[in-house]
Amino acid sequence: MPVLEANQVIERVSQYIDLSVIPFGKDKRTVVRVDTRQPMYGGNGVVYLLQMFDADELINNRIGCFMVFLNKHDQAGFHDHGPRGEEELYVVMHGEGEYADKAGADGEVRTHKITKGNITAVSNDGFHSVQNTSNEPLIIFVITTNKA
């Protein structure tokens, strides 16, 4: 699949969810930047990260973004957050997918079907992966925490 321009990605995602954000003390707005990962952590296809905050608005700019898998089989491969001292939550906003996690690089892989409303969590010593398993876009809101 070809890589889409930022405005095309925003238009597609807007068909399924509202992309508004109201930062503290600022006016309501939408996406500030669209990042493209092809592949993402050795996965398949294209993953888009819709950044909702400017770099100076939050302690960690990766803390609040939408991760979007537009096509079936698009995937973020296994990765960890340990080197950055992070933990991460995924909140499924639209679509269906498969979430996988494992304890450490050589841990046993557990897989779970995920659908709208599901929340996943990975600790800083775990690894996780996610893949779109349907013909609808898989849209996930990502919340990343930092070690204090």
Side-chain angles (χ1 to χ4, degrees), residues 61-79:
N61 193 37
R62 296 163 25 83
I63 203 166
C65 71
F66 288 101
M67 185 167 51
V68 178
F69 306 80
L70 291 176
N71 303 299
K72 188 172 187 175
H73 305 300
D74 285 350
Q75 174 192 38
F78 271 107
H79 62 283

mmCIF file of all heavy atoms in Angstrom, residues 61-79:
data_model
loop_
_atom_site.group_PDB
_atom_site.id
_atom_site.type_symbol
_atom_site.label_atom_id
_atom_site.label_comp_id
_atom_site.label_asym_id
_atom_site.label_seq_id
_atom_site.Cartn_x
_atom_site.Cartn_y
_atom_site.Cartn_z
ATOM 1 N N ASN A 61 6.390 13.975 24.622
ATOM 2 C CA ASN A 61 5.513 14.209 23.480
ATOM 3 C C ASN A 61 4.885 12.928 22.944
ATOM 4 O O ASN A 61 3.918 12.962 22.218
ATOM 5 C CB ASN A 61 6.257 14.932 22.352
ATOM 6 C CG ASN A 61 5.299 15.460 21.302
ATOM 7 O OD1 ASN A 61 4.205 15.912 21.627
ATOM 8 N ND2 ASN A 61 5.693 15.396 20.051
ATOM 9 N N ARG A 62 5.432 11.764 23.304
ATOM 10 C CA ARG A 62 4.854 10.496 22.860
ATOM 11 C C ARG A 62 3.684 10.083 23.740
ATOM 12 O O ARG A 62 3.058 9.078 23.535
ATOM 13 C CB ARG A 62 5.921 9.391 22.908
ATOM 14 C CG ARG A 62 7.066 9.617 21.969
ATOM 15 C CD ARG A 62 8.288 8.769 22.292
ATOM 16 N NE ARG A 62 8.057 7.548 23.011
ATOM 17 C CZ ARG A 62 7.678 6.394 22.452
ATOM 18 N NH1 ARG A 62 7.472 6.333 21.158
ATOM 19 N NH2 ARG A 62 7.505 5.316 23.175
ATOM 20 N N ILE A 63 3.384 10.901 24.750
ATOM 21 C CA ILE A 63 2.408 10.513 25.757
ATOM 22 C C ILE A 63 0.981 10.417 25.233
ATOM 23 O O ILE A 63 0.190 9.649 25.738
ATOM 24 C CB ILE A 63 2.482 11.459 26.974
ATOM 25 C CG1 ILE A 63 1.932 10.782 28.217
ATOM 26 C CG2 ILE A 63 1.760 12.757 26.714
ATOM 27 C CD1 ILE A 63 2.280 11.515 29.496
ATOM 28 N N GLY A 64 0.615 11.185 24.250
ATOM 29 C CA GLY A 64 -0.768 11.179 23.772
ATOM 30 C C GLY A 64 -0.840 11.292 22.268
ATOM 31 O O GLY A 64 -0.784 12.384 21.718
ATOM 32 N N CYS A 65 -0.941 10.160 21.604
ATOM 33 C CA CYS A 65 -1.068 10.177 20.146
ATOM 34 C C CYS A 65 -1.981 9.028 19.721
ATOM 35 O O CYS A 65 -2.220 8.097 20.482
ATOM 36 C CB CYS A 65 0.290 10.059 19.462
ATOM 37 S SG CYS A 65 1.071 8.439 19.573
ATOM 38 N N PHE A 66 -2.508 9.137 18.529
ATOM 39 C CA PHE A 66 -3.268 8.037 17.937
ATOM 40 C C PHE A 66 -2.310 7.230 17.067
ATOM 41 O O PHE A 66 -1.570 7.791 16.263
ATOM 42 C CB PHE A 66 -4.427 8.548 17.079
ATOM 43 C CG PHE A 66 -5.556 9.120 17.876
ATOM 44 C CD1 PHE A 66 -5.701 10.492 18.009
ATOM 45 C CD2 PHE A 66 -6.477 8.296 18.499
ATOM 46 C CE1 PHE A 66 -6.746 11.022 18.749
ATOM 47 C CE2 PHE A 66 -7.516 8.812 19.245
ATOM 48 C CZ PHE A 66 -7.648 10.180 19.361
ATOM 49 N N MET A 67 -2.319 5.917 17.245
ATOM 50 C CA MET A 67 -1.566 5.012 16.398
ATOM 51 C C MET A 67 -2.581 4.379 15.458
ATOM 52 O O MET A 67 -3.559 3.768 15.911
ATOM 53 C CB MET A 67 -0.854 3.960 17.258
ATOM 54 C CG MET A 67 0.057 3.041 16.475
ATOM 55 S SD MET A 67 1.174 2.045 17.523
ATOM 56 C CE MET A 67 0.064 1.305 18.702
ATOM 57 N N VAL A 68 -2.351 4.524 14.149
ATOM 58 C CA VAL A 68 -3.357 4.143 13.157
ATOM 59 C C VAL A 68 -2.792 3.107 12.186
ATOM 60 O O VAL A 68 -1.740 3.308 11.579
ATOM 61 C CB VAL A 68 -3.843 5.387 12.376
ATOM 62 C CG1 VAL A 68 -4.852 4.989 11.307
ATOM 63 C CG2 VAL A 68 -4.420 6.427 13.326
ATOM 64 N N PHE A 69 -3.536 2.001 12.068
ATOM 65 C CA PHE A 69 -3.231 0.921 11.131
ATOM 66 C C PHE A 69 -4.377 0.915 10.117
ATOM 67 O O PHE A 69 -5.452 0.388 10.418
ATOM 68 C CB PHE A 69 -3.178 -0.419 11.865
ATOM 69 C CG PHE A 69 -2.240 -0.447 13.040
ATOM 70 C CD1 PHE A 69 -2.615 0.088 14.272
ATOM 71 C CD2 PHE A 69 -0.984 -1.019 12.915
ATOM 72 C CE1 PHE A 69 -1.761 0.047 15.360
ATOM 73 C CE2 PHE A 69 -0.114 -1.067 14.012
ATOM 74 C CZ PHE A 69 -0.507 -0.522 15.221
ATOM 75 N N LEU A 70 -4.194 1.528 8.966
ATOM 76 C CA LEU A 70 -5.304 1.683 8.023
ATOM 77 C C LEU A 70 -5.679 0.388 7.315
ATOM 78 O O LEU A 70 -6.837 0.196 6.951
ATOM 79 C CB LEU A 70 -4.980 2.759 6.985
ATOM 80 C CG LEU A 70 -4.935 4.189 7.512
ATOM 81 C CD1 LEU A 70 -4.497 5.145 6.406
ATOM 82 C CD2 LEU A 70 -6.291 4.606 8.074
ATOM 83 N N ASN A 71 -4.714 -0.487 7.119
ATOM 84 C CA ASN A 71 -4.950 -1.680 6.305
ATOM 85 C C ASN A 71 -4.810 -2.974 7.106
ATOM 86 O O ASN A 71 -4.035 -3.048 8.061
ATOM 87 C CB ASN A 71 -3.950 -1.722 5.137
ATOM 88 C CG ASN A 71 -4.030 -0.482 4.305
ATOM 89 O OD1 ASN A 71 -5.060 -0.183 3.728
ATOM 90 N ND2 ASN A 71 -2.941 0.278 4.269
ATOM 91 N N LYS A 72 -5.559 -3.984 6.690
ATOM 92 C CA LYS A 72 -5.440 -5.311 7.287
ATOM 93 C C LYS A 72 -3.980 -5.754 7.201
ATOM 94 O O LYS A 72 -3.321 -5.533 6.172
ATOM 95 C CB LYS A 72 -6.350 -6.298 6.541
ATOM 96 C CG LYS A 72 -6.442 -7.650 7.191
ATOM 97 C CD LYS A 72 -7.496 -8.510 6.511
ATOM 98 C CE LYS A 72 -7.695 -9.808 7.277
ATOM 99 N NZ LYS A 72 -8.790 -10.594 6.699
ATOM 100 N N HIS A 73 -3.471 -6.327 8.263
ATOM 101 C CA HIS A 73 -2.110 -6.844 8.410
ATOM 102 C C HIS A 73 -1.067 -5.771 8.723
ATOM 103 O O HIS A 73 0.095 -6.120 8.960
ATOM 104 C CB HIS A 73 -1.659 -7.682 7.208
ATOM 105 C CG HIS A 73 -2.586 -8.810 6.879
ATOM 106 N ND1 HIS A 73 -2.879 -9.824 7.771
ATOM 107 C CD2 HIS A 73 -3.312 -9.064 5.775
ATOM 108 C CE1 HIS A 73 -3.736 -10.668 7.208
ATOM 109 N NE2 HIS A 73 -4.023 -10.227 6.005
ATOM 110 N N ASP A 74 -1.423 -4.473 8.703
ATOM 111 C CA ASP A 74 -0.466 -3.461 9.163
ATOM 112 C C ASP A 74 -0.137 -3.773 10.608
ATOM 113 O O ASP A 74 -1.017 -4.155 11.394
ATOM 114 C CB ASP A 74 -1.046 -2.049 9.050
ATOM 115 C CG ASP A 74 -1.081 -1.525 7.623
ATOM 116 O OD1 ASP A 74 -0.482 -2.154 6.720
ATOM 117 O OD2 ASP A 74 -1.712 -0.471 7.407
ATOM 118 N N GLN A 75 1.141 -3.615 10.978
ATOM 119 C CA GLN A 75 1.581 -4.101 12.284
ATOM 120 C C GLN A 75 2.741 -3.276 12.839
ATOM 121 O O GLN A 75 3.632 -2.865 12.105
ATOM 122 C CB GLN A 75 2.049 -5.548 12.131
ATOM 123 C CG GLN A 75 2.667 -6.147 13.368
ATOM 124 C CD GLN A 75 3.354 -7.464 13.077
ATOM 125 O OE1 GLN A 75 3.975 -7.626 12.032
ATOM 126 N NE2 GLN A 75 3.257 -8.400 13.996
ATOM 127 N N ALA A 76 2.707 -3.064 14.146
ATOM 128 C CA ALA A 76 3.873 -2.593 14.892
ATOM 129 C C ALA A 76 4.492 -3.841 15.513
ATOM 130 O O ALA A 76 3.828 -4.552 16.271
ATOM 131 C CB ALA A 76 3.469 -1.605 15.977
ATOM 132 N N GLY A 77 5.728 -4.137 15.170
ATOM 133 C CA GLY A 77 6.385 -5.348 15.660
ATOM 134 C C GLY A 77 6.730 -5.267 17.138
ATOM 135 O O GLY A 77 6.575 -4.225 17.789
ATOM 136 N N PHE A 78 7.218 -6.378 17.670
ATOM 137 C CA PHE A 78 7.577 -6.444 19.083
ATOM 138 C C PHE A 78 8.623 -5.387 19.425
ATOM 139 O O PHE A 78 9.604 -5.207 18.702
ATOM 140 C CB PHE A 78 8.128 -7.821 19.448
ATOM 141 C CG PHE A 78 7.062 -8.790 19.861
ATOM 142 C CD1 PHE A 78 6.684 -9.822 19.033
ATOM 143 C CD2 PHE A 78 6.435 -8.640 21.093
ATOM 144 C CE1 PHE A 78 5.701 -10.713 19.414
ATOM 145 C CE2 PHE A 78 5.444 -9.524 21.489
ATOM 146 C CZ PHE A 78 5.070 -10.560 20.643
ATOM 147 N N HIS A 79 8.394 -4.715 20.527
ATOM 148 C CA HIS A 79 9.329 -3.709 21.041
ATOM 149 C C HIS A 79 9.112 -3.541 22.536
ATOM 150 O O HIS A 79 8.089 -3.946 23.068
ATOM 151 C CB HIS A 79 9.147 -2.379 20.307
ATOM 152 C CG HIS A 79 7.794 -1.775 20.487
ATOM 153 N ND1 HIS A 79 6.675 -2.227 19.812
ATOM 154 C CD2 HIS A 79 7.367 -0.773 21.292
ATOM 155 C CE1 HIS A 79 5.625 -1.519 20.179
ATOM 156 N NE2 HIS A 79 6.010 -0.624 21.085
#
